[in-house]
Amino acid sequence: RRVLFRSKRGAKMELNYVGILAAAVVAWLAGGAYYGVLGDRWIAAIGKTKADFCGADGKRKMPVGPMVLSFVANLVTSVGLAGLMMHLGGLTVEIGVITGAACWLAFVIPGMATGYAFQGKPLALTVIDGGNVLLSFVFEGLVIGLISL
């Protein structure tokens, strides 16, 4: 832990880096499980087939680059969410879940829905991808709050 912020009253507020890392890992794993369940629908929504995700030998290729990027994105989001939680009252489960859901509702889904609509992407893709981001934000807030108790 290290002091990262000071409140207006001068109180020290510390980020729990173990909590942030754990939140990123949980969100990343939850995203993998989420797309594992909705994978066929997601593939249909992006207009591809399972064969498009296979190599010349017919075996499924693991998308390593996007998976690494996804984890890094979860890590960045966890840091930002923890900092925002501190400014909103502290690193608690309640503040984490509410802040994660509120950030998704206020900042993520409006831009995602607008962008997808202008790109002509199906509503199903917006729902699937948007649901994943909501799940990630809520789990990140939950884990940061739990580990910071």
Side-chain angles (χ1 to χ4, degrees):
R1 291 181 167 221
R2 102 176 194 216
V3 176
L4 197 63
F5 302 102
R6 286 196 180 273
S7 72
K8 291 180 181 177
R9 296 184 186 123
K12 295 177 184 176
M13 296 185 284
E14 297 178 354
L15 288 179
N16 181 331
Y17 293 111
V18 172
I20 289 168
L21 180 61
V25 169
V26 167
W28 187 74
L29 293 173
Y34 179 86
Y35 282 108
V37 171
L38 296 176
D40 290 342
R41 289 187 176 115
W42 179 78
I43 289 170
I46 64 171
K48 296 193 176 206
T49 67
K50 286 185 178 182
D52 293 321
F53 295 94
C54 295
D57 59 0
K59 293 183 180 177
R60 185 170 173 219
K61 295 184 295 185
M62 198 54 94
V64 176
M67 292 176 88
V68 170
L69 178 60
S70 175
F71 179 76
V72 171
N74 285 132
L75 191 57
V76 169
T77 303
S78 293
V79 170
L81 189 58
L84 188 55
M85 287 167 62
M86 289 174 61
H87 285 290
L88 293 175
L91 300 175
T92 68
V93 170
E94 181 181 17
I95 289 172
V97 170
I98 291 170
T99 303
C103 285
W104 174 84
L105 183 62
F107 307 119
V108 175
I109 201 62
M112 180 183 281
T114 301
Y116 280 23
F118 273 104
Q119 294 171 41
K121 294 183 179 178
L123 179 60
L125 186 59
T126 305
V127 171
I128 292 168
D129 288 347
N132 176 59
V133 178
L134 175 61
L135 182 75
S136 293
F137 277 33
V138 169
F139 272 137
E140 287 169 355
L142 175 74
V143 171
I144 290 166
L146 281 173
I147 292 183
S148 298
L149 290 177

